Amino acid sequence: MGGADAIDLLARAASTPGLVAAPEKLPFYAEQAGECQLFAHCFRQQLPLLIKGPTGCGKTRFVEHMAARLGRPLITVSCHDDLSAADLVGRHLIGQGDTVWSDGPLARAVRQGAILYLDEVVEARKDTTVVLHPLADDRRLLPIERTGELLKAPPEFMLVISYNPGYQNLLKGLKPSTRQRFTALSLGYPSAEVERRIVEQEGRAAPALAAQLVHLGQALRRLTAHDLEETASTRLLVMAARLVASGLPLLDACRAAVVNALTDDQETSAALDEVLRALIDDGH
């Protein structure tokens, strides 16, 4: 797709927002509050996007949905403590007695005009975010020091990063110089109505079962007496629904997919199990 065609495509997507792919071929995503339009406008204006939100709220699925909707290839990198700038940009490899340059996912995305998604970017080493700076501002350049190349990102390239603010601390957070290069979007857990639709669709759940699971999830999110690192995510509710769809009793499915996934502490687990038995009707 050429640059002019891409801009025209994005203009249509942002204003309608129309779909490039047929709706039935898109990865399922239930929109919460205009985030699809914001993504399309950022894409059109060649702006990088930062997505903030808790674990399991749909950040990755949202990016997959929008990449398909806009007709662009998607390259996803799950960031971790050992991820370096060289892992992203590329490195020389030895093969058959010679050294050959091998592009990393960042260089491949720039060359292809793809959407690059760095999931949980704050987990990566500090030098990783620095290499993003010239791509995330008006320059849209990727210098490859080891080859002497200077790649100019085409109009179709988009940089998207995400992280969970709940994990942020003094050691793992975005520098202001990085954060202020990005347009930012905050996602939370969806409303009960939207979450029921998600559990029905993704968990293959009947409406009554989806309603019970969403009620459980919302009750667990309101709990503040227990020291949980995370609360019940939409992802966990979908997993419970899928276990039920395969024939596992509802209480067992909720214990395995929700309670046991949230804590290893026996007292906390017992307290959560009490909430579970009070709210769930296993005869659903």
Side-chain angles (χ1 to χ4, degrees):
M1 180 185 300
D5 291 338
I7 295 300
D8 179 62
L9 171 66
L10 300 178
R12 296 199 305 273
S15 60
T16 2
L19 298 178
V20 173
E24 64 273 11
K25 295 183 179 180
L26 293 172
F28 175 78
Y29 179 75
E31 187 170 7
Q32 296 184 29
E35 63 269 22
C36 293
Q37 186 179 36
L38 174 62
F39 193 109
H41 278 288
C42 288
F43 194 74
R44 178 186 180 190
Q45 295 298 325
Q46 302 177 30
L47 296 173
L49 180 64
L50 162 62
I51 305 173
K52 299 180 285 185
T55 297
C57 73
K59 299 187 295 293
T60 298
R61 177 58 66 86
F62 169 52
V63 178
E64 292 172 347
H65 172 85
M66 290 307 301
R69 186 168 180 163
L70 294 167
R72 301 310 307 152
L74 174 65
I75 297 176
T76 298
V77 178
S78 296
C79 299
H80 52 81
D81 289 340
D82 293 328
L83 185 73
S84 66
D87 294 323
L88 279 182
V89 176
R91 52 170 49 91
H92 284 101
L93 302 177
I94 300 176
Q96 298 181 348
D98 197 3
T99 58
V100 179
W101 174 259
S102 176
D103 277 342
L106 182 55
R108 289 200 309 272
V110 173
R111 293 188 200 275
Q112 296 174 17
I115 294 174
L116 178 72
Y117 175 46
L118 302 181
D119 186 23
E120 296 296 345
V121 69
V122 295
E123 298 295 328
R125 285 164 43 173
K126 291 298 183 182
D127 66 332
T128 303
T129 56
V130 174
V131 79
L132 301 177
H133 285 186
L135 268 176
D137 57 30
D138 290 341
R139 292 171 289 176
R140 288 175 60 85
L141 296 173
L142 177 62
I144 304 181
E145 295 179 2
R146 297 185 182 183
T147 65
E149 287 184 273
L150 184 62
L151 300 184
K152 173 69 174 176
E156 303 86 19
F157 170 80
M158 183 176 184
L159 177 61
V160 182
I161 64 176
S162 74
Y163 74 97
N164 180 353
Y167 288 152
Q168 199 175 12
N169 55 45
L170 293 177
L171 297 177
K172 289 188 175 181
L174 286 180
K175 296 179 180 179
S177 59
T178 301
R179 183 194 301 271
Q180 294 186 22
R181 283 173 160 82
F182 287 81
T183 303
L185 165 68
S186 292
L187 290 181
Y189 295 120
S191 66
E193 179 182 354
V194 173
E195 195 163 41
R196 283 195 297 269
R197 287 174 49 208
I198 295 171
V199 175
E200 287 181 29
Q201 172 74 26
E202 296 291 277
R204 301 183 289 276
L209 172 59
Q212 277 201 78
L213 291 171
V214 169
H215 183 49
L216 172 65
Q218 292 191 324
L220 292 177
R221 290 168 198 161
R222 288 193 294 267
L223 288 179
T224 58
H226 299 286
D227 186 18
L228 293 173
E229 289 187 4
E230 287 290 349
T231 188
S233 68
T234 305
R235 179 191 294 130
L236 294 185
L237 302 182
V238 168
M239 290 167 60
R242 288 182 175 176
L243 289 176
V244 174
S246 70
L248 196 66
L250 177 55
L251 280 173
D252 292 341
C254 290
R255 287 190 183 102
V258 181
V259 172
N260 292 340
L262 289 177
T263 183
D264 295 326
D265 181 78
Q266 290 186 352
E267 291 186 5
T268 302
S269 180
L272 294 180
D273 199 66
E274 288 184 14
V275 175
L276 175 63
R277 286 185 278 107
L279 293 179
I280 291 296
D281 174 15
D282 208 10
H284 69 278

